[in-house]
Amino acid sequence: MAKAVTKECSTQYLAAKQAGTLNGQKWPQFLSACSDSLKSDNSDAAVPDEPTPAATKTTASKTTTKTAPAATTADGKPLSPGQVAFRARISECGEQWQKAKAANKTGGKTWPQYWSACNTRLKAN
């Protein structure tokens, strides 16, 4: 259960960070508020109390992020082609990492090691 709460809060935090709606809130503060909210709420669609607008944006933008990462930075500037490519690579490597980790096939690598090898492989393609 704790892993599911952390995973959900992590997803919400990353989306809020990308949307620029954290209002100076750091990960430990966000996790605390989010996990308290999720634990006290019995529904599956739980969101933290403070960053509700960010959570709403997360849900709305999640589908677009899956196919094409957001095209602007937190300050609203358009992403460069390199930034778009980076986001696509890190997303792809993250998905591969989660699958490998779940299947216990990481080869003893940590995330930074896996990311480095995956990033190099995807850049070569």
Side-chain angles (χ1 to χ4, degrees):
M1 175 88 177
K3 286 184 181 183
V5 169
T6 302
K7 184 175 180 179
E8 176 63 26
C9 290
S10 177
T11 302
Q12 291 178 14
Y13 178 80
L14 291 174
K17 183 177 179 180
Q18 186 177 6
T21 57
L22 287 174
N23 301 323
Q25 196 175 31
K26 300 293 182 196
W27 169 243
Q29 298 161 327
F30 186 92
L31 177 60
S32 178
C34 177
S35 61
D36 289 345
S37 176
L38 290 176
K39 288 176 184 175
S40 67
D41 191 356
N42 291 332
S43 74
D44 288 334
V47 291
D49 293 334
E50 281 185 47
T52 301
T56 305
K57 288 180 185 178
T58 302
T59 310
S61 68
K62 211 173 213 180
T63 322
T64 31
T65 303
K66 201 72 160 161
T67 55
T72 59
T73 61
D75 59 359
K77 295 180 182 176
L79 296 176
S80 70
Q83 289 171 315
V84 171
F86 171 80
R87 287 185 181 193
R89 286 192 313 271
I90 200 164
S91 177
E92 176 66 25
C93 289
E95 288 176 18
Q96 291 176 15
W97 166 254
Q98 290 300 323
K99 289 176 184 174
K101 193 172 153 186
N104 200 22
K105 294 183 178 186
T106 61
K109 291 181 181 176
T110 61
W111 164 246
Q113 295 166 328
Y114 189 91
W115 157 244
S116 178
C118 180
N119 187 42
T120 303
R121 184 179 70 248
L122 291 179
K123 276 184 173 180
N125 290 337

